[in-house]
Amino acid sequence: MKKKLLSILFAFCLVLPMALLITACDGDHTHTYIKNGGYVVEDSKAYTTEVCECGHTKQTELSNYIIATPDSAQSILDGRYGKISGKTILFFKGTYGALEIKSTVDTLTAIHEYNVNDPLDMATTTTLEALSNTTTYHYTRDLSDVHFVALEGAKFEGLFSIQSKDYERYIWQADTIIGLSDSTELSVDPIRNVKVQDYNCNGIIDESDIAFVDHINLKNITFENMNFSGSKGRVYIGQSYATTVENIAFKNCSFVTEEEWSGYGAIVMDTQATDRQESILRKNISVENCTIDGHYQGVVIQNAENVTIKNNTIKNTTHNAINLQGHFTTGTVTIDSNNISKTGDRAIRFAELEDATVTISNNTLIEATDSDNEIIKTQNSPAGSVIAITNTTIDGIALENRAYSTTATAQIIIAKPTAN
């Protein structure tokens, strides 16, 4: 028994054949299984569970998974147990603090010499073995096909962050990174955790030293059944230039806090780009069947292309419930069947819409306006985008079923109608 418990409490990267465990059934009929998203761990093996209407259950053994505990989770994300791309990460029961997906020497997929005259230049590739302590670099990590799943009893009370970082604002503060005392000759490489000369080679460490950029490309990433709580319990995906962010999904997650600020929002995907040309798009983002209670905002996605926000409950936000701002939003946006209540500002806020088709349907809004009774607002946008509203109510009053077209000279503002 002790060996079984120990085997569960450590992280394992398993590549196993598929297997079925099927319970007995007294009935003689063809089973219709409904995949309910349940996961179980037995004897260090993980299974998904499907249930028939008659109660008959079928368990299918997972392949390519890693079991994480509060003690091992960060090391797993850092690649200490091998690459996590293509894996399901199962968070065992327990309380998790802050977790961060970042580049480490175990996870690098590309390294480029840093061109101080053109920070977006990624032409010169090098290897880990060839790195110098007198040159600065772009580090790149590719992360794809990762499914983060919380098992019953797993709680997340810290920030879960995935960030592409520009270390300009950190590199000169060497003592705050690895305890290096103030120096006029040395700085620090936060990826390799080694002392280096400043890139200006002027013998002065100051705020002008841009040393290292950590790029993380994301594709096909899912968060499922994860329960976040407290002022720090949220997800932040912050990306800088020349990175890929696409096919990101949140399913059946909860974000609950009584704090008014608690960061920029429960789910935040923002950009460090300073203008439209540098912006990257977050493509194919979905938030479904989630609960957000509290937080400054609910869902924040900057520079989005193709977004689905469906079947969620969002309430008690200090500011907007749904914020699709940044520089612009494009593609297909679906906001459907959500319950939004007691927001400190509008229910939905857009930046510019550009070649966007927005459908807002079947939503129930309660006390979800700003001080001017505005429910939905856009920036001035180029002609060609449409917001179509159907079957949506605010405080029991139906919004008009109609389509609004964008113009470059006016915002779209949809306010609470006067009751008849």
Side-chain angles (χ1 to χ4, degrees):
M1 180 64 179
K2 185 176 181 180
K3 290 183 177 179
K4 289 182 180 179
L5 289 173
L6 288 173
S7 64
I8 292 176
L9 293 175
F10 287 95
F12 290 92
C13 180
L14 304 176
V15 181
L16 300 172
M18 301 300 287
L20 297 179
L21 300 178
I22 303 178
T23 61
C25 178
D26 294 334
D28 183 15
H29 65 279
T30 301
H31 297 291
T32 301
Y33 292 107
I34 303 171
K35 188 169 184 179
N36 64 4
Y39 295 82
V40 295
V41 173
E42 297 175 353
D43 295 330
S44 300
K45 295 181 180 180
Y47 306 88
T48 59
T49 303
E50 296 172 285
V51 182
C52 178
E53 294 177 352
C54 70
H56 183 269
T57 60
K58 177 177 69 174
Q59 292 182 336
T60 304
E61 187 176 340
L62 285 174
S63 62
N64 294 340
Y65 63 89
I66 303 173
I67 301 175
T69 70
D71 290 335
S72 67
Q74 187 58 60
S75 293
I76 289 169
L77 300 183
D78 288 343
R80 293 282 301 279
Y81 295 90
K83 294 182 178 180
I84 66 173
S85 286
K87 302 285 196 305
T88 296
I89 310 300
L90 296 168
F91 292 97
F92 197 67
K93 66 180 180 181
T95 301
Y96 294 78
L99 296 171
E100 181 179 10
I101 292 179
K102 57 186 183 298
S103 292
T104 68
V105 292
D106 295 313
T107 60
L108 296 175
T109 53
I111 306 171
H112 305 273
E113 291 189 10
Y114 188 85
N115 182 350
V116 66
N117 296 314
D118 183 4
L120 300 182
D121 178 15
M122 305 281 276
T124 306
T125 303
T126 186
T127 64
L128 188 63
E129 294 75 20
L131 296 187
S132 164
N133 286 350
T134 60
T135 306
T136 55
Y137 302 99
H138 282 280
Y139 294 110
T140 299
R141 178 180 184 179
D142 295 327
L143 197 64
S144 63
D145 303 301
V146 183
H147 192 177
F148 297 109
V149 181
L151 300 175
E152 185 177 358
K155 299 183 296 182
F156 299 84
E157 296 183 350
L159 174 66
F160 194 121
S161 63
I162 308 175
Q163 299 187 58
S164 288
K165 295 180 179 178
D166 183 334
Y167 282 92
E168 175 180 5
R169 64 183 184 276
Y170 300 116
I171 198 64
W172 63 281
Q173 296 176 321
D175 59 325
T176 68
I177 301 177
I178 60 170
L180 182 65
S181 61
D182 291 341
S183 170
T184 58
E185 297 178 356
L186 296 175
S187 190
V188 61
D189 179 334
I191 305 300
R192 292 183 290 153
N193 204 30
V194 297
K195 299 175 184 179
V196 297
Q197 291 182 0
D198 65 295
Y199 88 89
N200 282 332
C201 299
N202 60 5
I204 300 174
I205 305 299
D206 57 32
E207 295 184 27
S208 68
D209 286 326
I210 304 174
F212 308 96
V213 179
D214 182 4
H215 283 162
I216 302 177
N217 294 314
L218 302 174
K219 190 173 184 178
N220 303 329
I221 310 296
T222 300
F223 297 83
E224 185 174 2
N225 296 344
M226 299 180 71
N227 297 317
F228 294 85
S229 61
S231 62
K232 297 180 181 179
R234 56 194 183 89
V235 174
Y236 175 79
I237 300 175
Q239 303 297 83
S240 60
Y241 324 123
T243 52
T244 297
V245 181
E246 59 183 81
N247 303 337
I248 313 296
F250 295 85
K251 300 178 179 179
N252 303 308
C253 295
S254 66
F255 304 81
V256 179
T257 182
E258 295 180 357
E259 300 288 336
E260 289 187 0
W261 174 241
S262 65
Y264 197 48
I267 299 172
V268 176
M269 303 178 66
D270 77 357
T271 176
Q272 296 177 18
T274 58
D275 61 43
R276 189 185 188 92
Q277 284 67 40
E278 295 173 343
S279 299
I280 60 169
L281 289 169
R282 288 106 182 101
K283 298 181 179 180
N284 309 325
I285 312 300
S286 64
V287 180
E288 300 186 59
N289 300 307
C290 293
T291 297
I292 299 172
D293 186 353
H295 289 279
Y296 183 66
Q297 297 184 102
V299 179
V300 181
I301 307 172
Q302 296 185 351
N303 303 343
E305 178 180 352
N306 302 332
V307 175
T308 298
I309 300 175
K310 186 174 182 179
N311 292 327
N312 304 288
T313 296
I314 306 174
K315 59 184 180 180
N316 299 320
T317 59
T318 307
H319 197 37
N320 304 300
I322 298 170
N323 181 338
L324 303 181
Q325 288 190 275
H327 298 290
F328 63 102
T329 298
T330 188
T332 300
V333 177
T334 301
I335 301 174
D336 179 66
S337 301
N338 300 286
N339 292 306
I340 299 174
S341 63
K342 296 186 176 180
T343 62
D345 210 313
R346 303 172 188 89
I348 305 169
R349 183 70 163 93
F350 296 98
E352 287 187 14
L353 297 176
E354 184 174 298
D355 296 324
T357 300
V358 180
T359 300
I360 299 174
S361 57
N362 307 309
N363 299 285
T364 300
L365 313 177
I366 299 174
E367 298 179 35
T369 70
D370 70 356
S371 58
D372 294 322
N373 274 338
E374 294 177 2
I375 306 166
I376 302 165
K377 184 177 181 179
T378 74
Q379 295 296 100
N380 294 1
S381 303
S385 295
V386 174
I387 297 178
I389 297 179
T390 59
N391 195 31
T392 290
T393 62
I394 174 70
D395 297 330
I397 305 171
L399 298 183
E400 182 182 2
N401 291 339
R402 60 165 289 188
Y404 298 81
S405 298
T406 57
T407 67
T409 58
Q411 299 170 318
I412 292 175
I413 297 176
I414 301 170
K416 179 180 175 178
T418 303
N420 294 329

